Amino acid sequence: MARPENDLMAPLIWSAKVPHKLKIFAWLLFKDRLNTRVNLARKHIIDSDICPQCAMTTEDSNHLFITCPLGQS
Ligand SMILES: [Zn+2]
């Protein structure tokens, strides 16, 4: 029986030899709880979830850190 994803990632994140605030950031990224525009729009905090840097698509964690063409500079 496969273990839930949390059971596999949690020890890697929380036992890492990095500052605690980086562990918290990694956990929030893993759980998709960072304040990206998609998550803020889902909570009705902002109206638009479009990436303000490139205006090409929605700003989720993947777009923010990996696929945004203007976020890579
Ligand atoms: Zn973008």
Side-chain angles (χ1 to χ4, degrees):
M1 186 168 153
R3 296 172 67 182
E5 197 172 71
N6 278 352
D7 288 350
L8 299 174
M9 288 301 292
L12 291 174
I13 291 172
W14 296 112
S15 66
K17 304 286 186 214
V18 297
H20 190 66
K21 62 183 178 183
L22 189 55
K23 294 178 188 180
I24 293 171
F25 180 82
W27 184 250
L28 292 174
L29 177 62
F30 170 66
K31 299 296 283 181
D32 192 26
R33 298 297 173 106
L34 291 177
N35 285 332
T36 61
R37 293 187 72 82
V38 167
N39 287 344
L40 293 174
R42 186 179 303 137
K43 297 174 189 173
H44 305 286
I45 295 172
I46 60 173
D47 293 329
S48 173
D49 59 0
I50 300 297
C51 175
Q53 299 296 319
C54 68
M56 293 170 47
T57 187
T58 57
E59 185 202 79
D60 58 10
S61 296
N62 183 54
H63 179 77
L64 185 62
F65 293 106
I66 298 173
T67 63
C68 183
L70 298 179
Q72 298 174 358
S73 56

